[in-house]
């Protein structure tokens, strides 16, 4: 793996939120380190969605579909995330979706994804923090164990089964930890789906979305 420089220091310029977000997006897309670590034909991936969103979904790193399109969560995992979002009564465009990492980690296998290293995530973290600063969400949803390590730091004793469904905090924003959609697709038992849905019910309560009896009964 390539040696990475120190994480960037981000000072947002004066201006309204839209112009600040545009500046940040340009900064990330032009980041020399992000560019240098791209796969052939891959694109740097920046967050998408509503810069005024109450709900901020965070994944770990782009996969093959994401690096092709230059957008987070657009493959099968993205389709499942869209279903989860519509399940709580919102549309994708009403939320903000980003990854800790801005590029897809390189590896030698012909298919599949390599989890990002802690160093890779640490390098990209200031860019994510700047997006959170601009969006000012009421809740961040951390999707998957690698994402949790990217946000809260590596902890060899942290087990997803122990922290999932619990509230933490990142950048002074309530953080709900749940499974990554790709994990749900791979291990798609109704039990796992119900766990994710229970986490989303907690999120709905936190951001004061109405919850119907039907929504409460999903996957039971």
């Amino acid at each position: 793996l390539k040696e990475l420089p120190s994480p960037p220091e981000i000072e947002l310029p004066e201006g309204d939120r839209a112009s600040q977000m545009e500046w940040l997006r340009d900064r990330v897309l032009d980041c020399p380190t992000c560019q240098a670590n791209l796969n052939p034909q891959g694109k740097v991936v920046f967050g998408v969605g509503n810069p005024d969103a109450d709900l901020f979904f965070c994944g770990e790193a782009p996969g093959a579909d994401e690096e092709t399109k230059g957008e987070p969560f657009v493959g099968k995992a993205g389709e499942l995330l869209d279903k989860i979002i519509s399940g709580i009564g919102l549309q994708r465009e009403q939320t903000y979706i980003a990854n800790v990492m801005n590029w897809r980690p390189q590896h030698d296998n012909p298919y599949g994804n390599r989890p990002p290293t802690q160093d890779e995530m640490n390098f990209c973290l200031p860019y994510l923090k700047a997006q959170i600063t601009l969006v000012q969400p009421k809740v961040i949803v951390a999707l998957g164990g690698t994402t949790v390590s990217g946000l809260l730091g590596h902890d060899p004793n942290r087990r997803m089964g122990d922290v999932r469904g619990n509230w933490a905090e990142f950048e002074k924003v309530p953080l709900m930890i749940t499974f990554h959609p790709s994990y749900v697709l791979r291990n798609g038992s109704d039990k796992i789906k119900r766990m994710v849905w229970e986490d989303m019910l907690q999120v709905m309560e936190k951001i004061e979305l109405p919850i119907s009896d039907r929504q409460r009964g999903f996957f039971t």
Side-chain angles (χ1 to χ4, degrees):
L1 291 175
K2 296 175 186 170
E3 184 94 2
L4 293 172
S6 299
E9 291 185 18
I10 309 296
E11 275 195 41
L12 292 166
E14 296 290 317
D16 60 28
R17 199 181 301 189
S19 64
Q20 287 177 312
M21 191 65 92
E22 196 169 328
W23 175 90
L24 181 61
R25 179 187 164 85
D26 290 343
R27 170 89 191 260
V28 171
L29 296 185
D30 294 337
C31 167
T33 302
C34 297
Q35 290 282 346
N37 283 277
L38 288 178
N39 291 291
Q41 277 79 55
K43 294 178 182 167
V44 178
V45 177
F46 187 71
V48 293
N50 180 0
D52 295 312
D54 286 342
L55 195 48
F56 191 115
F57 288 95
C58 186
E60 56 185 68
D65 296 309
E66 287 79 15
E67 73 168 354
T68 299
K69 194 167 179 189
E71 191 175 314
F73 286 95
V74 292
K76 287 203 164 33
E79 288 170 14
L80 180 53
L81 182 59
D82 289 350
K83 281 184 187 165
I84 292 168
I85 293 169
S86 67
I88 65 172
L90 296 175
Q91 292 169 328
R92 182 183 173 100
E93 295 73 30
Q94 292 173 282
T95 68
Y96 194 88
I97 303 172
N99 284 309
V100 180
M101 287 270 297
N102 304 313
W103 68 83
R104 183 185 176 206
Q106 294 182 350
H107 61 92
D108 296 330
N109 296 333
Y111 57 86
N113 296 311
R114 169 177 72 74
T117 65
Q118 199 68 35
D119 282 349
E120 286 172 328
M121 291 192 288
N122 288 346
F123 175 83
C124 291
L125 203 55
Y127 291 137
L128 178 72
K129 287 180 176 178
Q131 289 171 81
I132 292 167
T133 297
L134 288 174
V135 176
Q136 296 179 353
K138 290 180 180 171
V139 165
I140 300 167
V141 179
L143 300 164
T146 307
T147 305
V148 176
S149 292
L151 299 178
L152 302 181
H154 176 64
D155 178 355
N157 298 316
R158 187 189 295 125
R159 295 282 172 271
M160 199 57 191
D162 298 333
V163 297
R164 186 233 110 237
N166 292 326
W167 289 103
E169 193 176 81
F170 182 70
E171 296 291 284
K172 299 184 178 154
V173 181
L175 179 75
M176 171 52 63
I177 298 169
T178 195
F179 294 121
H180 195 286
S182 60
Y183 174 82
V184 179
L185 289 170
R186 285 196 311 272
N187 306 283
S189 68
D190 281 349
K191 182 184 176 191
I192 296 289
K193 289 175 185 170
R194 178 66 200 177
M195 285 176 169
V196 172
W197 187 244
E198 284 170 356
D199 302 340
M200 296 315 299
L201 290 174
Q202 288 196 68
V203 168
M204 290 174 76
E205 285 170 356
K206 184 75 90 173
I207 62 175
E208 298 178 347
L209 284 175
I211 303 175
S212 68
D213 289 343
R214 182 168 168 269
Q215 283 170 316
R216 286 209 186 272
F218 281 171
F219 305 110
T220 51

